[in-house]
Amino acid sequence: MPSRLPSSARLRHFLVVPVMLAGLALAGCAGGAGGDDAADPDALVVYNAQHEQLTEEWADAFTAETGIDVVLRNGDDSELANQLVQEGKASKADVFLTENSPAMSLVEEADLFAAVDPSTLALVPEQFRPASGLWTGIAARSTVLVYNPELISESELPASLLDLADAQWKGKWGAAPAKADFQAIVSAVLATQGEDGARDWLHGMAENAVEYRNNIVTMKAVNAGEVPMGIIYHYYWFRDQDAAAEDSAGTKLHYFGNQDPGAFVSISGGGVLKNAPHADEAQQFLAFIAGEHGQKILGEGYSFEYPVASDVAAKPELPPLAELDAPVIDPSTLNGPAVIELMTEAGLL
């Protein structure tokens, strides 16, 4: 993937501010499924950036099956990735779980991951894990355009995510650029369009997009008619539809397809730390998540994310992953630090 930033410089830039925030965040989130790790030195320590409810369900089922206690330290992708890089070999983390791939790539680039057991990798199709074998996909979420048909018809929608940088869409779409989810989508723009293409698109976005706090607020804004369209992940819409549809009743979803950057499927990752104090148990936990039981907890639960392993089916309401025609990108090449640099340059962060 093209980048003009040397690897070491990219890491330093990404670390400057978030590390301070990570320390503050983690100080208040010790404990989790297995209690406080300081009081239970034998417990498996998971740095968890996945949805807390989902990982708690995984941890409880794993403990019931193996007798191994699990402690969760919860945070978001960039906070925990930067925390791991800062801690280095001194980290007490055994496993790292994320919502998106760029945070996994950051830790992989810092050479902190052990190789995943081949038997675990064999559970996950190649398109849902990095070629390096140093971590694996555990779930997937699709980029979608949510739109309000009272404000824009399906035939009027842009053909590509890239079109949203054109002046005709000024003030007509919303997104949450400060969140890791949207930054992962930008990483797909960078991977498919190169640095200059991504820079141009982000400057267009800075001119045209209405910024919201997160995906849910973006969807609410489209539903309320504040903007005709928004870029979010699919599962926020399906979860709301599965409940009372309070925030999505007046909206529909559009899938870009055609291997467009707007059809990007983001892979949630899981990896075992090279210096994990409980390495064998960590490999067992990752194998459990990728296995049939763990994937069914994901696929049949509340999250509406896609299972990616052990041939477990997604909820029937979701369009099949194979029909989304997403761009083909090795998830370990998604460059989070370069995305942060470019979004900052464009004034979006």
Side-chain angles (χ1 to χ4, degrees):
M1 177 175 39
S3 173
R4 294 169 182 162
L5 301 173
S7 176
S8 59
R10 288 158 46 203
L11 270 175
R12 283 198 299 273
H13 177 86
F14 198 50
L15 288 168
V16 173
V17 175
V19 164
M20 298 283 294
L21 299 175
L24 292 172
L26 289 172
C29 68
D36 189 340
D37 57 315
D40 186 1
D42 294 329
L44 191 70
V45 176
V46 176
Y47 278 26
N48 175 51
Q50 247 292 348
H51 298 117
E52 292 181 25
Q53 180 177 333
L54 171 61
T55 306
E56 286 173 1
E57 291 173 355
W58 275 333
D60 289 344
F62 175 73
T63 299
E65 187 170 301
T66 65
I68 300 170
D69 289 331
V70 179
V71 169
L72 306 183
R73 289 186 171 273
N74 298 307
D76 72 23
D77 282 2
S78 61
E79 288 173 344
L80 293 179
N82 281 295
Q83 183 76 11
L84 283 168
V85 172
Q86 182 191 43
E87 292 174 347
K89 296 180 180 179
S91 178
K92 294 183 178 179
D94 295 298
V95 175
F96 183 36
L97 304 179
T98 67
E99 290 191 327
N100 296 286
S101 299
M104 301 299 292
S105 299
L106 183 70
V107 176
E108 179 180 348
E109 188 175 347
D111 193 27
L112 294 174
F113 280 135
V116 176
D117 281 350
S119 58
T120 301
L121 294 178
L123 300 172
V124 186
E126 290 184 359
Q127 66 266 34
F128 300 129
R129 53 182 167 86
S132 66
L134 292 174
W135 53 276
T136 185
I138 56 174
R141 57 273 301 276
S142 173
T143 308
V144 295
L145 185 143
V146 58
Y147 69 99
N148 187 325
E150 295 293 323
L151 301 178
I152 187 169
S153 68
E154 184 175 10
S155 63
E156 295 173 315
L157 296 177
S160 167
L161 176 78
L162 302 176
D163 293 343
L164 293 173
D166 295 340
Q168 74 177 97
W169 301 110
K170 185 177 178 62
K172 295 182 178 179
W173 65 287
K179 303 301 289 185
D181 285 353
F182 190 81
Q183 292 161 15
I185 296 170
V186 175
S187 73
V189 176
L190 177 61
T192 58
Q193 306 303 307
E195 187 173 318
D196 289 341
R199 177 180 288 109
D200 290 345
W201 188 78
L202 287 168
H203 281 281
M205 175 183 174
E207 290 292 324
N208 296 343
V210 179
E211 296 182 21
Y212 292 103
R213 191 172 70 251
N214 56 41
N215 282 301
I216 294 174
V217 177
T218 302
M219 182 174 67
K220 286 181 177 180
V222 176
N223 190 53
E226 291 180 22
V227 288
M229 304 176 293
I231 298 295
I232 62 173
Y233 279 153
H234 77 281
Y235 61 85
Y236 293 99
W237 189 88
F238 281 99
R239 282 183 194 172
D240 191 66
Q241 290 280 311
D242 189 54
E246 292 182 355
D247 301 323
S248 65
T251 67
K252 293 183 177 181
L253 294 187
H254 173 70
Y255 292 81
F256 286 107
N258 298 314
Q259 300 189 21
D260 187 84
F264 173 62
V265 171
S266 183
I267 303 301
S268 302
V272 174
L273 279 301
K274 184 178 287 185
N275 291 287
H278 311 96
D280 290 343
E281 293 86 349
Q283 292 285 358
Q284 291 181 52
F285 185 64
L286 195 57
F288 173 83
I289 291 175
E292 184 176 2
H293 190 180
Q295 290 291 287
K296 282 187 173 179
I297 290 172
L298 167 68
E300 298 173 359
Y302 82 105
S303 78
F304 276 91
E305 293 180 85
Y306 286 95
V308 295
S310 298
D311 296 322
V312 173
K315 285 182 177 290
E317 297 94 324
L318 301 180
L321 268 178
E323 296 179 6
L324 299 182
D325 199 12
V328 179
I329 303 171
D330 184 330
S332 69
T333 66
L334 295 174
N335 194 332
V339 166
I340 298 298
E341 181 105 356
L342 289 167
M343 294 184 73
T344 301
E345 177 186 310
L348 291 163
L349 297 177

